[in-house]
Amino acid sequence: MYEPNVVEDWQEYDEHAGLRVRVHRLEQHEPPRGRDDAAEGLTYFCLRVTVENRGAGHSTIHLEDGQIDVRIGPDGESAFIDWRNSQFIEGFDVYPLRRATAVIYAAGPEAALAQVDVQVQLRVDDDWAERRLWTGGIGLHEGSVPAGAGRESLAGQVSNFLRDQAEEGTA
């Protein structure tokens, strides 16, 4: 069964040997060039998507608007993406042992930010990689899943599943 990644986890692509991706630094953060008027009353947050090349050759990476989908809350509503402040990866050659990072600024109601799902579909050279999903939330820290609704969130469930798997493997 396919399990989503937890924010901060690396995901390797079988079809593109040596390439791996992660969503990380999911944190509440104001955009550098000011708020978009359409985000009035919403809470801004920032996330980073890093592509790393651990292979032998270089690959041209594309990670632009439309290739990153951010959903928030238990109903998976679309977050507001601030395209003006976000920085994408547009046709960048990632050589061996190098990385490229996209910085995405998004916003949503503060109450919905305890559950954030990020879906990424990377384009490598001119081929589309499979979509991958990361889940996390603002205010969730490793080892401490908040009581109540947060404990039942997808991020809490994934965190508990991975912790249980790690404990079984270390026995």
Side-chain angles (χ1 to χ4, degrees), residues 96-146:
L97 303 177
R98 298 286 189 254
R99 295 179 176 176
T101 300
V103 180
I104 311 302
Y105 286 91
E110 188 170 0
L113 299 184
Q115 181 174 341
V116 178
D117 296 323
V118 181
Q119 184 171 280
V120 175
Q121 185 172 23
L122 186 66
R123 193 170 64 163
V124 181
D125 297 320
D126 286 321
D127 299 325
W128 291 96
E130 289 184 33
R131 293 177 194 260
R132 298 285 192 234
L133 176 69
W134 282 262
T135 188
I138 307 294
L140 291 179
H141 302 290
E142 180 150 345
S144 66
V145 177

Side-chain angles (χ1 to χ4, degrees), residues 30-169:
E30 287 293 317
R33 291 185 289 249
R35 298 175 64 89
D36 189 301
D37 293 339
E40 185 176 335
L42 301 177
T43 302
Y44 264 94
F45 61 98
C46 177
L47 61 98
R48 294 174 186 265
V49 180
T50 298
V51 179
E52 182 179 66
N53 186 356
R54 298 172 65 99
H58 81 279
S59 297
T60 302
I61 303 300
H62 303 272
L63 191 54
E64 303 166 341
D65 62 352
Q67 292 175 252
I68 300 172
D69 189 17
V70 181
R71 302 287 170 158
I72 55 176
D75 294 329
E77 294 181 15
S78 184
F80 170 79
I81 305 288
D82 188 334
W83 304 113
R84 182 180 58 128
N85 282 297
S86 297
Q87 301 166 359
F88 298 97
I89 303 170
E90 301 176 16
F92 189 79
D93 291 336
V94 180
Y95 286 87
L97 303 177
R98 298 286 189 254
R99 295 179 176 176
T101 300
V103 180
I104 311 302
Y105 286 91
E110 188 170 0
L113 299 184
Q115 181 174 341
V116 178
D117 296 323
V118 181
Q119 184 171 280
V120 175
Q121 185 172 23
L122 186 66
R123 193 170 64 163
V124 181
D125 297 320
D126 286 321
D127 299 325
W128 291 96
E130 289 184 33
R131 293 177 194 260
R132 298 285 192 234
L133 176 69
W134 282 262
T135 188
I138 307 294
L140 291 179
H141 302 290
E142 180 150 345
S144 66
V145 177
R151 183 176 301 279
E152 297 304 317
S153 72
L154 181 58
Q157 292 173 19
V158 170
S159 180
N160 289 337
F161 171 79
L162 292 173
R163 189 172 25 261
D164 292 345
Q165 293 299 313
E167 290 171 2
E168 288 176 14

